[in-house]
Amino acid sequence: MRKHLFSLFMLAFTALFCCGCPQYADPMVPEPILRVTEPNTNGDYLMYTPSRHNIEEPTPLVILCHGTKPWDSPIREIRDWVKLAEEKNFVVAAPHLKGTRGDFPPPPHKQIPLQQKDEKKILSVVQHISGSRNIDENRIFLAGWSAGGYAVLHTGLKHPEVFRALAVLQGNFDTAFMADAVEHIDPYQPIYILRGTTDVLTGKQGKVCADWLYEQNAYVFDSDIPGPHRGHPKSAYEFFERVVREIPLMRIVATTDTAESLRTLSFDISGSFKPERFEWSFGDGETSPVARPVHTYKADGEYKITLTALDDSGKRIRRSTRIRIPQPTFKHHLLN
C-alpha cells in the first residue's frame, strides 16, 4: 500500500514539476495544455502535444499569435486549436505577446519595439520546443487571428528561414508597423490572408494587407470567407498542409570559407527534397553542375545567385537570391 501511494505521489510530482508547469484540462482533447517557461526571455507560453506524438518522428509545429486582450488571450487561442492538433498530430503553442492590440494600437515608434520583443519571444519558444520535442524544421508555421496579425507579419516575414508559411486570419494591419520587416520579405514564403466578408472589424484591413504584400512581391494566397470576426484554425492548417504537399522548400545556403577570403563562398541547399540535378549560376557568368560548389568572385559587387534543381519527378525548382561581395564578416548565410 505504501509503495502504491508513493508511486502515485511520484506521478503527481512528475506531472507538476517535470512538465514544469501548471496544466489546463480541455474536454476536447486527452492531453493537458501545459504552461511552460522558456529560459531565454523567461516568458510563459502554452503548449499542447497530441497523444499520438512520437519522439522518433519529426512533428509539425504551429505557433499561435493571440489577439487583443481581454477579448483574446493565449489560452483562448490555443483552445481553438487543440482539437485540430490532436486530430492532425502536430504540436501547437501560444506565447504571451505585447504588441497585439487591435482596438487602440500605439503609434509606430512604440508599436515596433513591442513587436521586436514579441519576435524575440516567439523565436525563443520555437527554440525551446525544438529542444524538447522532435520538431520537423521544414514544417514550422506561424498563425495569428485579429491583432495577432501584427506579430505574424513582423516576425514571420523577418524569419523565412524559420517559418515555412504564415497565416493571418482576419487580421489587423497597418503599413506603418511593417518598417522593420519589409526588407526581409522572401518571395518564396507562402502567406495566407483570410478575410471575413461581413467582418466589420478587420475586413478592410485584410484587403489593404493583401494588396501591400502583393506590391512587395510576396507569395500571397488571399481568400474571403463568409461570417463575422472569428478564428479559422481548420482553414489555416489546410493551407499549411497544401504548402507542404504542393510547394517544395529549397533554400540556398552560403558559407564564407575563411575570414581571410571573403570573396570565396561554399554553396549548398536546405529543403524538403533531395534534388536529382543541379544548375548553379553565380551571377558573374560562371556556372556549376555540382551539388555543393565552391566559388571565388574576382570583383567586388552585388551578384544574383540562381539555382535550378530537378526533383525526383523531373520538376524544375528555381530559387534566386542576391549577395554582396566581399562579405563584411566570416559567416554562414541561409538565403532564399
Side-chain angles (χ1 to χ4, degrees):
M1 181 67 178
R2 287 184 176 179
K3 184 176 181 181
H4 177 68
L5 290 174
F6 180 75
S7 297
L8 289 176
F9 172 79
M10 290 306 297
L11 283 173
F13 182 89
T14 300
L16 182 60
F17 293 101
C18 292
C19 289
C21 326
Q23 303 178 2
Y24 302 89
D26 191 302
M28 302 294 288
V29 290
E31 300 296 321
I33 299 169
L34 303 180
R35 182 161 62 89
V36 186
T37 301
E38 56 83 16
N40 190 26
T41 67
N42 200 34
D44 289 345
Y45 65 92
L46 301 178
M47 178 176 65
Y48 180 77
T49 303
S51 59
R52 291 184 292 128
H53 175 69
N54 183 349
I55 195 63
E56 301 298 325
E57 298 179 5
T59 304
L61 170 64
V62 178
I63 302 294
L64 306 177
C65 300
H66 62 81
T68 306
K69 296 179 180 179
W71 296 278
D72 195 20
S73 65
I75 189 63
R76 289 184 179 180
E77 194 68 25
I78 201 169
R79 279 181 166 158
D80 278 348
W81 280 76
V82 289
K83 186 174 184 291
L84 185 64
E86 179 66 25
E87 292 173 354
K88 296 287 188 176
N89 195 29
F90 63 87
V91 177
V92 64
H96 291 262
L97 303 175
K98 299 292 187 182
T100 56
R101 179 163 184 167
D103 50 3
F104 299 102
H109 72 277
K110 293 184 178 180
Q111 172 69 13
I112 291 176
L114 293 176
Q115 293 176 170
Q116 291 170 340
K117 290 181 180 179
D118 289 344
E119 173 191 0
K120 184 177 180 181
K121 188 167 194 177
I122 291 168
L123 295 176
S124 296
V125 168
V126 171
Q127 183 181 26
H128 197 229
I129 295 174
S130 297
S132 62
R133 303 289 188 274
N134 187 2
I135 299 300
D136 185 344
E137 64 178 11
N138 291 326
R139 290 188 293 166
I140 299 176
F141 308 104
L142 189 61
W145 173 69
S146 195
Y150 294 143
V152 170
L153 292 173
H154 176 92
T155 300
L157 293 178
K158 288 182 71 175
H159 297 278
E161 78 284 0
V162 176
F163 301 103
R164 176 76 175 270
L166 314 176
V168 177
L169 310 172
Q170 295 183 239
N172 291 90
F173 179 75
D174 189 330
T175 55
F177 296 167
M178 301 304 298
D180 202 33
V182 61
E183 65 181 275
H184 300 278
I185 290 177
D186 175 4
Y188 303 109
Q189 182 188 46
I191 308 167
Y192 182 47
I193 306 296
L194 184 65
R195 302 183 296 263
T197 56
T198 56
D199 181 1
V200 297
L201 295 178
T202 64
K204 292 182 179 180
Q205 293 181 55
K207 178 67 166 58
V208 173
C209 176
D211 290 345
W212 182 84
L213 287 168
Y214 280 121
E215 291 172 2
Q216 310 307 317
N217 297 314
Y219 197 0
V220 183
F221 296 77
D222 63 321
S223 179
D224 291 325
I225 193 168
H229 191 61
R230 57 187 175 85
H232 299 274
K234 185 178 179 181
S235 296
Y237 200 74
E238 285 177 350
F239 172 72
F240 295 152
E241 289 181 315
R242 177 186 171 191
V243 167
V244 172
R245 185 174 61 249
E246 300 178 5
I247 305 175
L249 175 67
M250 186 172 74
R251 297 185 178 114
I252 297 173
V253 180
T255 305
T256 311
D257 275 5
T258 67
E260 291 75 31
S261 182
L262 299 180
R263 288 181 179 173
T264 299
L265 276 73
S266 298
F267 293 96
D268 199 350
I269 68 163
S270 171
S272 60
F273 70 102
K274 293 182 179 180
E276 297 291 316
R277 199 171 75 190
F278 299 81
E279 298 173 8
W280 290 91
S281 173
F282 302 112
D284 59 356
E286 299 291 328
T287 61
S288 175
V290 304
R292 299 178 181 84
V294 177
H295 184 69
T296 300
Y297 290 90
K298 298 178 181 178
D300 297 348
E302 185 177 272
Y303 295 90
K304 182 180 180 180
I305 303 154
T306 300
L307 170 61
T308 304
L310 268 66
D311 64 14
D312 55 7
S313 68
K315 181 180 179 181
R316 288 178 177 268
I317 312 297
R318 177 172 292 181
R319 295 291 184 265
S320 297
T321 191
R322 293 185 178 275
I323 195 166
R324 179 164 294 280
I325 298 297
Q327 287 297 294
T329 58
F330 170 45
K331 62 181 179 180
H332 170 97
H333 310 265
L334 189 60
L335 308 168
N336 289 281

